[in-house]
Amino acid sequence: MPEPIVFVVDVAPADASPPAGGWESTVRRAASGEPIVRGTDLAATRGDGVFETLGVLDGCPQAVDAHFWRLANSAELLELPAPNLEQWRVAMRIAGSALPTDRQGGIKLVLSRGVEGEERSTGWLIATASDDDFANRTEGWKVVTLDRGYRHDLSERAPWLLPGAKTLSYAVNMATLREAARRGADNAVYLSSDGYVMEAPQSSVLLRRGDTLVTPKTDIGILPGTTQLSVFALASQWGLATEDRLVQASDLLDSDGVWLLSSVKLATPITEVDGKPIAVDRELTERLNAALLARRE
Ligand code: PLP
């Protein structure tokens, strides 16, 4: 994997104006291998912070506004100080322009509650040029459904579990991917304990039913996906209907196509669910990925 480039951001409060040197002066490229996080940072000790991962094409970070909306929403859910989005926009531009333009890349934005006792957010960006051949887009993935362990009405019953926030605590998501691999699958789709389709550990779920694209509604304890938003905007241009609703596990088996959607991998068709082959829509897969790859903002 190409070496990631790290940028340290001197995090400003949301209402701060740019300093004399502009927001550019608050973003510093770290030297290769330079330690930039203190051992007492709550991101390191508790996973207490939020993040976003954006796709980058031709040096342009994709769907920045949608990611910034989710970043601000996650920060609010964790009761973190609101991010200064103008500062992060400049930081994002600097990180994007450090990446090569001959292939896809990604930028991870990390916003931590900061060092214990200091009451000041810390933040950084990690820009990575991808060496992935994105075979997922043509070969597709086999998935298993796995129980998420809570009901679809989690947001109402237990908002303190932070449903809908993209927190740094992804150990559970990574453990889910290892469980999927143990079961011979490429990825997993979480089901609520009462049987509804939720999301995958790092992607949203999309289904096609005739001329309608369907995604699970986001108030069931899942993340609002930025790629899913882009796909719905495309679908409207293409004359397809869109719907977000409760999706039953059985819908995965009798749809006209199912995909996992995410910012860097884009649209991956699902070929099997729990060992059963499902309908694969190659044409729409190609069309979706071509349109997502043609975006420059
Ligand atoms: N759901 C989860 C749990 C995720 O981690 C992600 C992305 O990382 C997504 C959905 C898809 O979001 P996006 O399309 O914004 O990448």
Side-chain angles (χ1 to χ4, degrees):
M1 186 172 124
E3 193 186 349
I5 310 169
V6 178
F7 294 87
V8 185
V9 178
D10 187 6
V11 177
D15 56 359
S17 308
W23 288 124
E24 288 78 359
S25 66
T26 65
V27 182
R28 179 178 71 78
R29 181 171 173 157
S32 170
E34 178 188 335
I36 58 141
V37 182
R38 284 163 61 188
T40 45
D41 195 299
L42 290 161
T45 56
R46 290 190 181 146
D48 193 357
V50 297
F51 78 103
E52 283 296 321
T53 301
L54 289 81
V56 180
L57 293 161
D58 267 352
C60 305
Q62 303 295 292
V64 175
D65 287 338
H67 282 283
F68 279 7
W69 176 84
R70 193 168 64 190
L71 175 74
N73 189 52
S74 298
E76 192 177 335
L77 290 168
L78 267 73
E79 298 171 66
L80 290 173
N84 186 314
L85 298 182
E86 280 319 303
Q87 178 185 36
W88 282 106
R89 197 176 294 279
V90 170
M92 192 61 68
R93 184 167 37 74
I94 294 172
S97 57
L99 288 172
T101 50
D102 61 345
R103 61 197 133 137
Q104 255 195 270
I107 298 176
K108 186 170 193 173
L109 181 171
V110 180
L111 179 62
S112 160
R113 195 176 298 279
V115 170
E116 196 149 11
E118 291 194 357
E119 312 252 318
R120 191 160 176 274
S121 301
T122 49
W124 58 96
L125 294 172
I126 305 164
T128 313
S130 181
D131 58 0
D132 196 330
D133 60 1
F134 298 108
N136 61 295
R137 292 175 197 157
T138 43
E139 289 170 14
W141 282 336
K142 299 174 185 164
V143 300
V144 283
T145 54
L146 293 176
D147 187 355
R148 183 75 184 236
Y150 46 72
R151 288 163 45 106
H152 78 283
D153 54 358
L154 178 82
S155 302
E156 270 163 56
R157 292 159 62 99
W160 49 89
L161 296 183
L162 303 176
K166 194 164 168 69
T167 80
L168 289 169
S169 318
Y170 258 47
V172 166
N173 304 46
M174 297 301 110
T176 307
L177 292 176
R178 292 192 295 274
E179 179 61 24
R182 263 192 295 279
R183 296 182 187 207
D186 305 301
N187 215 311
V189 170
Y190 286 124
L191 300 181
S192 64
S193 56
D194 48 351
Y196 295 105
V197 174
M198 302 183 87
E199 62 186 348
Q202 297 177 297
S203 342
S204 312
V205 176
L206 176 79
L207 299 87
R208 178 174 191 166
R209 298 178 76 85
D211 284 339
T212 304
L213 295 188
V214 179
T215 197
K217 63 195 191 98
T218 55
D219 63 357
I220 59 165
I222 62 175
L223 278 190
T226 64
T227 317
Q228 176 266 313
L229 268 185
S230 296
V231 164
F232 271 25
L234 288 166
S236 309
Q237 289 168 25
W238 297 341
L240 293 168
T242 58
E243 205 181 359
D244 46 344
R245 62 165 168 83
L246 286 174
V247 175
Q248 306 277 350
S250 56
D251 293 343
L252 293 173
L253 296 174
D254 62 7
S255 289
D256 301 309
V258 182
W259 294 263
L260 294 190
L261 302 176
S262 66
S263 296
V264 176
K265 296 273 187 190
L266 304 180
T268 305
I270 301 304
T271 57
E272 262 184 34
V273 176
D274 295 331
K276 299 184 194 80
I278 61 163
V280 178
D281 184 339
R282 301 269 168 212
E283 199 186 321
L284 185 58
T285 306
E286 267 177 42
R287 196 170 181 203
L288 283 173
N289 283 317
L292 292 169
L293 285 166
R295 293 175 304 171
R296 284 298 172 270
E297 58 178 31

